[in-house]
Amino acid sequence: MNETIKLLQNHRSIRDFEDRPLEKDVVETLVKSAQQASTSSYVQAYSIIGVTDEDKKQAIMEVSTQPYVKDNGHLFIFVADYNRHLQLAKRKGYDVNFETTESLLVGVVDAALAAQNLAVAAESLDLGICYLGSIRNNTKKIIEILDLPEGTFPVIGMAVGYKNSNGSFKERLPLDTVYFENSYPEFEAVEESLNEYDETINQYYKNRDKNKREDNWSEQVIRKLSKMGEVRADIKDVLNEQGYLKD
Amino acid sequence: MNETIKLLQNHRSIRDFEDRPLEKDVVETLVKSAQQASTSSYVQAYSIIGVTDEDKKQAIMEVSTQPYVKDNGHLFIFVADYNRHLQLAKRKGYDVNFETTESLLVGVVDAALAAQNLAVAAESLDLGICYLGSIRNNTKKIIEILDLPEGTFPVIGMAVGYKNSNGSFKERLPLDTVYFENSYPEFEAVEESLNEYDETINQYYKNRDKNKREDNWSEQVIRKLSKMGEVRADIKDVLNEQGYLKD
């Protein structure tokens, strides 16, 4: 197993950082690594905002409600972005369309691939990272804080910094419940493996050092998903306001 | 610069593979690396289908219209997936909701982060990769070929294999047009840098070994985006059929 694969397979989210900002050259290395990720048809339909302003970090922390959104080495926001294409098109007399679901997928995937490259680059420098889906608690507010114009949408955030702890390894689903060859299986074919996984996760929550509890994977995620109808219910409206999903 | 960062910054898409399938243990290493990527709230809302069946590869190639969809070491399809959650919820008496735009974003981001980890792992083993957004030319057909049930949607594909060529390095947008601190800039602040980039890309197309042409980045992508209204216009309907975006 080479160093890169070891790194990928040893990922853990870090939520506790030293009070030490990332150096400018480190930020540049991370962003350059992000940029070299694949991009749909060379469109590069994303931007990255680095947030260093303390007031803005505070405001974003209030959206996310997590302290490590403020207390980290650097806060990155990954934005699906057709604004530069729109602006260039206006000047050249074209009419750019990014209103379909397909265009949203392109922007979200582009932003996510860049983000993951940045995460891997950061971890290779022994920095810690934590993704922040929680910026989507109030995308309208994030748009206001970062002055995000037409054609942009904040997809995901990431706190990066020098680690104060090593985080804990979270066991993923058994490979045979996530990876299938040639066709998607009947549920019965994966059910036993999912039950064994629940047992593993139940032991993990019961035996870990902090925050012990009685829980397992399926109970935890189904509880969460059963409430998803009410969670971040304004996302479609905010996307519409930014020019997305008009079709 | 460490090996991982060198690898990330040296990415190039490969579209020409040896006629040699990936070994089973290599596929397993890649999938395990993919699985360890971050996932929104531990939901793991994605699956990966490996396509090895020659007839299925042929059928997917006809959707993608690119020969390397058939001629590669292994073909991966990354699927946003709430099916296992749905099935578990039914058995436990919960009512799982994944009909909002937020749920689609979670599934697409989860699938994309896993895909990018798989890409990085593959390149660290000196394999070549090429993303295939082109599977979205006909998602209904992909769903049929792979028996994808309710709650699943094929987001992106990836051809992986032993390289027959080294690909070419595609220069990305200047860092100062993609990365901003604290707020999104006025277009005028990035315009000159974008123009210089167009000049660089113009020289690249003019001077490369094969397929020389007169083009630049902005012309190329704006041409593409001006037609996006008609491209893959059925995506929303297919998502609806799979249970997504009902709100």
Side-chain angles (χ1 to χ4, degrees):
Chain A
M1 202 184 284
N2 66 44
E3 289 304 311
T4 299
I5 287 175
K6 256 188 231 165
L7 185 80
L8 295 171
Q9 295 193 1
N10 196 35
H11 160 73
R12 41 203 77 194
S13 293
I14 302 296
R15 298 180 173 83
D16 182 14
F17 301 99
E18 285 182 28
D19 182 16
R20 175 179 166 200
L22 293 199
E23 295 77 3
K24 208 175 144 67
D25 64 317
V26 172
V27 172
E28 201 173 299
T29 296
L30 298 183
V31 173
K32 279 189 175 162
S33 302
Q35 284 193 272
Q36 213 53 45
S38 293
T39 163
S40 177
S41 302
Y42 209 18
V43 166
Q44 306 177 72
Y46 72 95
S47 288
I48 307 171
I49 317 278
V51 190
T52 54
D53 180 278
E54 288 302 324
D55 292 341
K56 293 196 177 205
K57 282 182 109 170
Q58 173 69 29
I60 296 172
M61 195 265 271
E62 285 164 20
V63 168
S64 280
T65 71
Q66 291 151 333
Y68 46 90
V69 175
K70 191 163 189 299
D71 303 328
N72 52 53
H74 208 82
L75 175 63
F76 293 96
I77 310 289
F78 297 87
V79 177
D81 187 359
Y82 289 98
N83 184 271
R84 72 177 71 88
H85 313 87
L86 266 179
Q87 298 291 346
L88 287 164
K90 265 186 208 163
R91 283 156 180 79
K92 289 167 190 274
Y94 284 92
D95 192 18
V96 153
N97 179 315
F98 64 97
E99 299 179 356
T100 61
T101 309
E102 165 65 11
S103 291
L104 177 65
L105 292 183
V106 166
V108 170
V109 170
D110 266 17
L113 301 187
Q116 187 56 16
N117 256 19
L118 196 147
V120 173
E123 291 185 341
S124 82
L125 295 170
D126 203 30
L127 296 164
I129 70 112
C130 186
Y131 273 98
L132 308 164
S134 54
I135 63 158
R136 294 198 305 272
N137 289 343
N138 190 343
T139 45
K140 212 171 160 56
K141 186 79 193 167
I142 301 290
I143 286 166
E144 185 191 310
I145 296 166
L146 302 178
D147 306 312
L148 296 179
E150 185 186 4
T152 62
F153 182 78
V155 177
I156 202 151
M158 194 190 296
V160 181
Y162 294 93
K163 296 185 267 190
N164 242 345
S165 68
N166 284 317
S168 64
F169 184 84
K170 294 283 277 289
E171 189 81 26
R172 296 304 195 251
L173 283 162
L175 189 140
D176 63 2
T177 67
V178 167
Y179 177 72
F180 314 118
E181 290 215 342
N182 294 313
S183 63
Y184 198 96
E186 295 293 324
F187 182 71
E188 288 66 26
V190 299
E191 192 166 13
E192 195 181 319
S193 194
L194 285 172
N195 288 340
E196 284 167 20
Y197 180 60
D198 267 346
E199 187 48 42
T200 306
I201 301 305
N202 177 269
Q203 291 299 322
Y204 165 79
Y205 283 126
K206 216 180 262 175
N207 297 325
R208 66 178 175 180
D209 294 341
K210 284 191 286 192
N211 306 321
K212 287 187 208 297
R213 65 177 199 253
E214 183 64 42
D215 207 350
N216 64 36
W217 179 76
S218 64
E219 288 289 338
Q220 180 185 341
V221 301
I222 288 166
R223 250 184 349 251
K224 186 176 168 71
L225 292 176
S226 69
K227 293 179 211 137
M228 283 294 273
E230 305 123 55
V231 172
R232 303 172 188 165
D234 65 338
I235 294 273
K236 179 142 190 273
D237 292 338
V238 180
L239 278 163
N240 285 162
E241 282 170 34
Q242 297 296 100
Y244 285 89
L245 286 186
K246 295 235 170 146
D247 275 15
Chain B
M1 201 185 286
N2 65 44
E3 288 304 311
T4 299
I5 287 175
K6 254 187 232 167
L7 184 80
L8 295 172
Q9 295 192 1
N10 195 34
H11 160 73
R12 40 203 79 194
S13 292
I14 302 296
R15 297 180 174 83
D16 182 13
F17 301 100
E18 286 181 28
D19 182 15
R20 175 181 165 198
L22 294 198
E23 296 76 4
K24 208 175 142 68
D25 64 317
V26 171
V27 172
E28 200 173 300
T29 297
L30 298 183
V31 174
K32 280 190 176 161
S33 303
Q35 283 193 269
Q36 213 55 44
S38 294
T39 162
S40 177
S41 302
Y42 209 18
V43 167
Q44 307 178 70
Y46 71 95
S47 288
I48 307 173
I49 317 278
V51 190
T52 54
D53 180 278
E54 288 302 324
D55 292 342
K56 292 195 177 204
K57 281 182 110 170
Q58 173 69 30
I60 296 172
M61 194 266 270
E62 283 164 20
V63 169
S64 280
T65 73
Q66 291 151 335
Y68 46 90
V69 174
K70 191 163 188 296
D71 304 328
N72 52 53
H74 208 82
L75 175 63
F76 292 96
I77 310 288
F78 297 87
V79 177
D81 187 359
Y82 289 97
N83 183 271
R84 70 177 71 89
H85 312 88
L86 265 180
Q87 298 291 345
L88 287 164
K90 264 185 210 164
R91 283 157 180 79
K92 289 167 190 273
Y94 285 91
D95 192 17
V96 153
N97 180 314
F98 63 96
E99 299 178 355
T100 62
T101 309
E102 165 65 12
S103 291
L104 177 66
L105 292 183
V106 166
V108 170
V109 170
D110 266 17
L113 301 187
Q116 188 56 17
N117 256 21
L118 195 148
V120 173
E123 291 185 340
S124 81
L125 295 170
D126 203 30
L127 297 164
I129 70 112
C130 186
Y131 272 97
L132 307 164
S134 55
I135 62 157
R136 294 197 305 273
N137 288 344
N138 189 344
T139 44
K140 212 170 160 56
K141 186 77 192 168
I142 301 290
I143 286 166
E144 186 191 309
I145 296 166
L146 303 177
D147 305 311
L148 296 178
E150 185 186 4
T152 62
F153 182 78
V155 177
I156 201 150
M158 194 190 297
V160 180
Y162 293 94
K163 296 186 266 190
N164 242 345
S165 69
N166 283 317
S168 63
F169 184 84
K170 293 285 277 287
E171 189 82 25
R172 297 303 196 251
L173 283 162
L175 188 140
D176 63 3
T177 66
V178 167
Y179 177 72
F180 313 119
E181 290 214 343
N182 294 312
S183 63
Y184 199 96
E186 296 293 324
F187 182 71
E188 289 66 26
V190 299
E191 192 166 13
E192 195 181 319
S193 192
L194 285 173
N195 289 339
E196 283 167 20
Y197 180 61
D198 268 345
E199 186 50 40
T200 306
I201 301 305
N202 178 269
Q203 291 299 322
Y204 165 80
Y205 284 125
K206 216 180 263 175
N207 297 326
R208 66 180 176 179
D209 293 341
K210 283 191 287 192
N211 306 320
K212 288 187 208 295
R213 65 177 199 252
E214 182 64 42
D215 208 348
N216 64 36
W217 180 76
S218 64
E219 289 289 338
Q220 180 185 342
V221 300
I222 289 166
R223 249 186 348 252
K224 185 174 170 72
L225 293 177
S226 69
K227 292 180 212 134
M228 283 293 274
E230 304 124 55
V231 172
R232 302 171 188 166
D234 64 339
I235 294 274
K236 178 140 189 274
D237 292 338
V238 180
L239 279 163
N240 284 162
E241 283 170 34
Q242 297 296 100
Y244 284 89
L245 286 185
K246 294 233 172 149
D247 276 13

